[in-house]
Amino acid sequence: MLEASRWRRLTLAIAQISRPRSLAIGLIAAQPLWGQAAESEPPAVDNYNPYLYLDWLPRWQLAPEQRAAVPTVCSGAFVAPPRDYPDADLPPEVAPLRATADESEWLDDGTARLRGNVHVTQGYRELFADRVDVNRNENSAYLSGAIEMREPNLLVRGVAAEVHTDSEAAAIEDATYVIHDDFVHGAARHAAREASGELTLTEGSYTRCEPGEEIWRVSGGEITIDNVERQGVARDVRLEILDVPVFYFPYLRFPVGDARLSGLLFPNISNSDENGWDIAVPYYWNIAPQMDATIVPRYIQHRGTGAELEVRHLSQWFNSELRLAGLPDDKGGDDEDKRRLIREGFPEDLVNPAKGEDRWLVNFEQQGGSGGLWRTNIDYTRVSDPDYFRDLDTANLSVSAERQVNQRVQGSLTGEHWQATLRTQKYQLLEKDRFDTYSQLPRLDLDGNYQWGDWLLAMDHEVTSWDHEDTQTITRIRDTGDPESIQDATRNFVTAERFRVDYELDWDKQWLWGYFTPGLAARYLSYRLDDQFLNPEKSASPEASAGQFTLDTGLFFERDGNVFGRDYVQTLEPRLFALASSTADQKDFFNVGQRPSDGGNNLLFDTSLFTFSYDQLFRDSRFNGNDRIDDADRVAFGLTTRFIDPSSGRDLLTASAGQIFYSNDTRIDRDKIIKNAAPRSEFAARLESRPIQYLRIGSELIYDDTEGDLNRGNFSLRYLDDDFRLFNLGYRYLRREERFDTSSGQLIRGSIEQVDASAVVPINTNTSILARANYDITFDRELEYLAGVEYDSCCYRARLVWRRTLDNDLADVVTPEELEYDEGIYLEVQLKGLAGLGTTVTRMLSQGIPNFDQREVLKQ
């Protein structure tokens, strides 16, 4: 006789086939399945499980480890019963055939009849039926009654079946099926299991929704599911949402699991004021196991028809990705602000330069080498014009940028102590009112590192050829109220070759109670300048050098404490950093051009000042880049205290403060030598706290105690818990000199002061509210408002979002006060296990709400 759980499954299977819904059947099915699936809180008597015949277990019936593996938005899982019969883990081809039944007989013609609770096993494959007739001459078996065929990760039920014992193929009538691990199930009038393992459904259905909650399904025609190759093919099928047909597919390939297969993907559809309807229909081509491509025809209502292409290739030595996009003869979009400026007399080719032009994008990325002797890295992106990313959303390609795109090709050779790197690098600016940056054509770095105990030796060598077109002209609109205010700006550029050498020897001695790291450094910097636009009074080969001594040392003190019954460990960590340098005469690096406005006038190719912070106190250079030698003698003091939870090691509170003191009032800056400089730096303070596991608080202040001004400050609060509640609050302040428009008196540049708040609040297990507000206090305007709702289930996810944001299309043309707003409503739907409709909302939320991506990972 069969065990009790087996009877309950068969009872429910018969009930599903014959469609009766009697109370008796419900009461039979209400019992627990098997011991390990029971939960401490049983359901009410009438809360039975009507989908037990599909191996579906509600969350309350799952074992604790099973429940932990199920996403929170799912109310249960498909769980196969344990296989506890002999040879259950063997492949069928090497396992003996075993059969049991209540009655059995052999007929004279060689036919065997099995009646009542027939159970046949061969390795991991097993079969249940009420009646089985085996024809040895034809190597076939005919099954009837409540049929159940099982393999790992697969269940098929039906009312009648024919099985070929030699090929192991089977045909089942009125079938239902389940693919457990992939959350896939469905039904068919006729199901055939091929010898290769494929499952072919005639007039069948496919869905990843929970039983009884089939929001969407693919049905009709013929569906083939290959559980080995992890793919499915559907012919002459329709997509039904809430039982309403919405798409018809003569041919459709879909993944069984997370793999991607050749075939049409769901279209991306969006609408905006400037572009109108934007429709892209991707086709995915699985060319080979190591190579695939996505081809995307695209129609943009107010711009035209184009296409996008993405090709990916994996090999033993290289990983490569190529992305191309093109839109010929752009119609120019539908922008009333641009039309207004054109009507007022501004040239169309300046206000709307894309109209009538061919727009294109090229992106190539490659990583080569296996981390051994050699490596390559290519990151090359180029677009037809600076407005490409503003005008044309690249939701179908993994390429985006705001201010510039990179064009870098790099290769390196690495030994035990030495590494040589050869690089060419350019940047394409996406801001039309700025001159291009210099290109590195090429750059060679040769770096060596040795260690003997606590002694460290670093030897860095760099040779770079800085290239730029000799003369560049850009056109600007100085006043949007005056068409005559168009102005050309021309600059001549001084190109150069740079040679930089840095040798450093450090003694890095560390103890549990502190560390002591003195070091000696020799630095050399020289240029060879092109004399085309060189100031005749300047040297064509300026150079500078310095010898330096550094000392970085600190102590660690700690004590145990207790407050309100809670233990903590407090530390006190004083730190001192000192730099003493010989004078590096760098006055020949300034005003090297014939005119003060010439590019390269102060030999600044890749160098800027680090943003001052607490960490900056202890750097051996104030400069980010190699165009300056920082020879300002100084001593920096810093003090940090921490309150640590001894049980978790979490920093409950960390506070740091410090300042730099200079030994003289003359020091080099980016573009000049500062005399009578302040004897000390700004005062830097930082506070970080993690009072509970889910909450992080941080703040930093930069205070000028000589002038009494707060130069920079920020505050951030980040909260994300196991219930996926997410809160963010941020404030940012940066003191800047105010600048006003000479004609209108409007503020066009001032201190940056902004507030940013965002939240994702679950209303219940499936529904969450989304919100963000980013406000500019300086100009008294909103930068972005966003509000929406998300519904997430095991079956599908939908997000509906309203968004109001500044339109930055004319950001480099009009003043900040004249910028208009874009407002829109965006819908995104993802049918889990099949496809999604739109990606704009996800990208919008990921970019605007901190920790949103982490929340998505935690929900899996």
Side-chain angles (χ1 to χ4, degrees):
M1 296 297 290
L2 294 178
E3 69 277 11
S5 61
R6 166 68 186 147
W7 274 116
R8 284 188 286 274
R9 278 183 167 77
L10 286 178
T11 302
L12 284 170
I14 296 171
Q16 176 67 14
I17 294 170
S18 59
R19 305 296 181 184
R21 301 288 180 176
S22 67
L23 177 62
I25 293 177
L27 292 176
I28 292 173
Q31 302 301 318
L33 288 180
W34 52 82
Q36 63 268 33
E39 191 175 358
S40 57
E41 297 181 4
V45 174
D46 59 347
N47 191 17
Y48 71 96
N49 176 9
Y51 303 104
L52 183 60
Y53 71 98
L54 293 176
D55 291 346
W56 172 259
L57 299 185
R59 182 177 288 272
W60 60 266
Q61 282 189 307
L62 296 175
E65 62 274 12
Q66 294 170 332
R67 195 180 308 123
V70 176
T72 56
V73 295
C74 298
S75 63
F78 295 101
V79 180
R83 301 193 310 271
D84 51 6
Y85 55 86
D87 305 322
D89 296 325
L90 294 178
E93 56 270 18
V94 299
L97 179 67
R98 305 174 189 272
T100 61
D102 291 344
E103 298 177 5
S104 62
E105 62 176 319
W106 288 97
L107 302 183
D108 295 337
D109 59 1
T111 301
R113 291 181 177 177
L114 305 177
R115 296 291 184 269
N117 302 320
V118 181
H119 184 200
V120 181
T121 65
Q122 189 171 20
Y124 58 65
R125 185 174 295 134
E126 61 177 329
L127 181 151
F128 297 94
D130 289 339
R131 297 177 299 277
V132 176
D133 294 324
V134 181
N135 190 321
R136 298 179 61 184
N137 297 326
E138 298 179 1
N139 293 322
S140 62
Y142 299 90
L143 299 80
S144 58
I147 298 168
E148 178 180 326
M149 303 177 66
R150 288 187 176 276
E151 294 182 8
N153 197 34
L154 177 65
L155 163 66
V156 181
R157 293 185 182 276
V159 297
E162 179 180 355
V163 178
H164 295 275
T165 57
D166 52 353
S167 65
E168 300 175 349
I172 307 101
E173 301 296 329
D174 292 335
T176 58
Y177 69 94
V178 174
I179 303 176
H180 300 81
D181 294 347
D182 300 307
F183 219 88
V184 170
H185 67 101
R189 185 181 63 82
H190 178 84
R193 184 199 177 280
E194 308 297 336
S196 60
E198 291 184 349
L199 185 65
T200 301
L201 311 172
T202 303
E203 297 182 21
S205 65
Y206 168 96
T207 186
R208 281 194 62 182
C209 298
E210 298 181 358
E213 302 291 336
E214 289 89 354
I215 301 299
W216 68 266
R217 67 170 66 89
V218 174
S219 60
E222 182 180 273
I223 302 173
T224 300
I225 300 174
D226 190 336
N227 197 29
V228 177
E229 298 294 332
R230 317 289 290 165
Q231 63 179 334
V233 175
R235 296 176 175 86
D236 188 28
V237 295
R238 60 190 178 274
L239 171 65
E240 298 176 355
I241 297 179
L242 295 175
D243 296 328
V244 177
V246 295
F247 283 108
Y248 169 76
F249 299 97
Y251 180 85
L252 175 68
R253 298 188 71 183
F254 55 89
V256 178
D258 298 326
R260 299 181 66 186
L261 303 174
S262 297
L264 287 172
L265 305 179
F266 261 52
N268 290 323
I269 303 175
S270 62
N271 182 275
S272 65
D273 293 337
E274 184 172 352
N275 289 346
W277 287 104
D278 187 344
I279 303 174
V281 184
Y283 178 84
Y284 178 76
W285 182 15
N286 192 0
I287 303 172
Q290 297 81 26
M291 189 174 187
D292 61 16
T294 304
I295 306 166
V296 189
R298 186 178 182 188
Y299 167 75
I300 306 176
Q301 181 180 2
H302 298 315
R303 294 196 178 274
T305 302
E308 298 175 346
L309 171 69
E310 180 180 69
V311 180
R312 303 185 301 177
H313 178 255
L314 302 177
S315 72
Q316 182 180 359
W317 305 109
F318 299 99
N319 299 334
S320 305
E321 298 182 11
L322 173 66
R323 302 176 181 92
L324 303 173
L327 179 71
D329 192 17
D330 191 337
K331 297 178 182 179
D334 183 16
D335 192 315
E336 178 57 33
D337 293 328
K338 293 180 180 179
R339 287 197 296 267
R340 175 181 58 81
L341 291 175
I342 294 171
R343 287 195 302 267
E344 292 174 356
F346 289 92
E348 183 175 9
D349 60 352
L350 184 60
V351 176
N352 193 6
K355 187 174 182 179
E357 298 295 323
D358 295 336
R359 316 288 295 277
W360 50 266
L361 173 147
V362 177
N363 169 256
F364 182 69
E365 298 179 10
Q366 184 193 79
Q367 294 81 39
S370 57
L373 178 63
W374 63 275
R375 293 180 183 176
T376 61
N377 185 284
I378 301 176
D379 181 7
Y380 183 92
T381 303
R382 187 167 180 82
V383 291
S384 56
D385 56 90
D387 292 325
Y388 187 91
F389 291 102
R390 292 182 186 175
D391 295 343
L392 304 174
D393 182 21
T394 57
N396 303 295
L397 299 177
S398 303
V399 185
S400 62
E402 294 184 1
R403 295 192 174 184
Q404 64 186 24
V405 291
N406 192 14
Q407 299 165 5
R408 183 184 71 237
V409 179
Q410 178 176 301
S412 61
L413 295 174
T414 304
E416 182 180 0
H417 297 290
W418 288 89
Q419 176 174 297
T421 302
L422 183 64
R423 175 200 307 171
T424 63
Q425 186 164 21
K426 299 177 64 176
Y427 292 99
Q428 181 183 5
L429 295 184
L430 304 181
E431 299 177 72
K432 294 178 289 188
D433 60 346
R434 290 181 56 193
F435 290 99
D436 293 337
T437 59
Y438 282 85
S439 304
Q440 302 178 44
L441 299 175
R443 171 172 175 164
L444 175 64
D445 289 274
L446 184 62
D447 302 330
N449 290 278
Y450 289 87
Q451 181 172 357
W452 306 277
D454 297 327
W455 291 92
L456 307 174
L457 175 63
M459 297 173 287
D460 298 337
H461 311 78
E462 177 234 311
V463 180
T464 305
S465 176
W466 295 100
D467 187 62
H468 200 288
E469 61 178 309
D470 296 335
T471 302
Q472 184 182 1
T473 301
I474 60 176
T475 303
R476 300 169 175 166
I477 298 177
R478 310 302 297 180
D479 184 358
T480 55
D482 180 11
E484 303 298 325
S485 67
I486 299 174
Q487 183 183 73
D488 289 339
T490 301
R491 179 176 291 180
N492 300 322
F493 288 85
V494 177
T495 58
E497 295 177 358
R498 184 179 72 191
F499 179 56
R500 176 76 184 241
V501 176
D502 291 276
Y503 281 23
E504 299 182 38
L505 178 65
D506 297 321
W507 183 52
D508 185 14
K509 188 62 177 177
Q510 300 188 28
W511 303 272
L512 291 176
W513 47 266
Y515 61 93
F516 184 76
T517 308
L520 294 174
R523 309 190 188 278
Y524 175 77
L525 172 63
S526 68
Y527 294 91
R528 186 170 67 184
L529 308 180
D530 180 35
D531 59 3
Q532 181 177 1
F533 301 114
L534 184 64
N535 186 339
E537 299 178 359
K538 291 295 182 177
S539 169
S541 54
E543 61 180 3
S545 61
Q548 297 180 344
F549 169 78
T550 59
L551 175 63
D552 189 4
T553 184
L555 298 172
F556 301 110
F557 302 95
E558 68 175 47
R559 69 181 184 90
D560 297 328
N562 183 283
V563 60
F564 303 118
R566 183 173 183 177
D567 293 332
Y568 67 87
V569 176
Q570 182 186 5
T571 70
L572 192 66
E573 305 168 24
R575 183 175 182 180
L576 178 145
F577 177 84
L579 170 68
S581 176
S582 63
T583 300
D585 186 2
Q586 301 171 75
K587 63 179 182 296
D588 289 339
F589 295 167
F590 303 107
N591 302 317
V592 300
Q594 295 176 356
R595 301 180 304 177
S597 61
D598 285 348
N601 185 52
N602 292 320
L603 296 183
L604 287 171
F605 299 109
D606 66 350
T607 300
S608 61
L609 284 167
F610 280 109
T611 300
F612 187 70
S613 64
Y614 179 78
D615 292 331
Q616 176 59 26
L617 300 176
F618 312 108
R619 292 184 183 271
D620 58 9
S621 177
R622 295 172 292 123
F623 299 102
N624 178 19
N626 285 339
D627 290 313
R628 296 291 181 265
I629 296 176
D630 185 0
D631 61 351
D633 295 346
R634 59 187 179 270
V635 175
F637 295 98
L639 182 64
T640 296
T641 183
R642 306 176 195 271
F643 292 85
I644 303 171
D645 182 354
S647 60
S648 65
R650 185 176 70 251
D651 284 0
L652 303 174
L653 177 68
T654 301
S656 303
Q659 196 168 22
I660 299 175
F661 297 88
Y662 297 95
S663 65
N664 55 61
D665 59 359
T666 300
R667 52 183 173 268
I668 192 170
D669 198 36
R670 290 181 69 251
D671 51 7
K672 61 184 175 181
I673 296 177
I674 302 176
K675 296 183 178 181
N676 300 318
R680 58 185 179 271
S681 72
E682 303 156 301
F683 183 81
R686 183 171 64 195
L687 181 70
E688 296 174 321
S689 177
R690 196 174 178 186
I692 59 176
Q693 180 68 27
Y694 309 115
L695 178 64
R696 296 176 183 269
I697 301 173
S699 181
E700 188 168 33
L701 298 176
I702 304 299
Y703 178 74
D704 187 346
D705 59 348
T706 59
E707 299 291 336
D709 293 321
L710 179 65
N711 286 345
R712 184 163 57 88
N714 63 69
F715 169 83
S716 67
L717 180 149
R718 304 283 184 261
Y719 179 88
L720 175 60
D721 61 22
D722 291 339
D723 295 323
F724 314 115
R725 290 174 293 192
L726 189 157
F727 299 96
N728 298 295
L729 179 63
Y731 171 81
R732 182 165 72 103
Y733 174 80
L734 176 61
R735 182 172 174 267
R736 296 195 305 181
E737 182 180 354
E738 293 183 341
R739 191 169 72 227
F740 296 87
D741 185 85
T742 55
S743 58
S744 64
Q746 290 180 337
L747 179 68
I748 59 176
R749 184 181 185 272
S751 298
I752 297 174
E753 189 173 7
Q754 298 176 357
V755 177
D756 195 347
S758 57
V760 179
V761 183
I763 303 302
N764 53 42
T765 303
N766 303 102
T767 307
S768 299
I769 299 298
L770 315 166
R772 184 198 182 198
N774 189 10
Y775 193 80
D776 187 342
I777 299 176
T778 302
F779 291 98
D780 191 21
R781 63 184 180 182
E782 62 265 30
L783 298 175
E784 182 182 42
Y785 283 173
L786 181 150
V789 61
E790 172 192 79
Y791 184 84
D792 192 6
S793 70
C794 237
C795 177
Y796 74 99
R797 180 176 63 198
R799 291 175 177 144
L800 181 67
V801 170
W802 166 83
R803 185 192 190 201
R804 174 180 166 89
T805 184
L806 274 180
D807 182 0
N808 289 314
D809 284 351
L810 297 175
D812 49 5
V813 176
V814 303
T815 64
E817 292 289 343
E818 296 175 296
L819 290 176
E820 301 292 335
Y821 287 93
D822 274 343
E823 189 171 343
I825 296 177
Y826 304 85
L827 174 65
E828 178 179 290
V829 179
Q830 179 189 359
L831 306 181
K832 296 186 178 181
L834 189 64
L837 184 62
T839 58
T840 303
V841 175
T842 295
R843 188 174 65 256
M844 189 186 304
L845 297 173
S846 297
Q847 294 174 352
I849 300 180
N851 287 337
F852 186 83
D853 287 339
Q854 183 179 353
R855 170 184 177 267
E856 295 297 282
V857 172
L858 292 176
K859 290 185 69 176
Q860 300 304 315

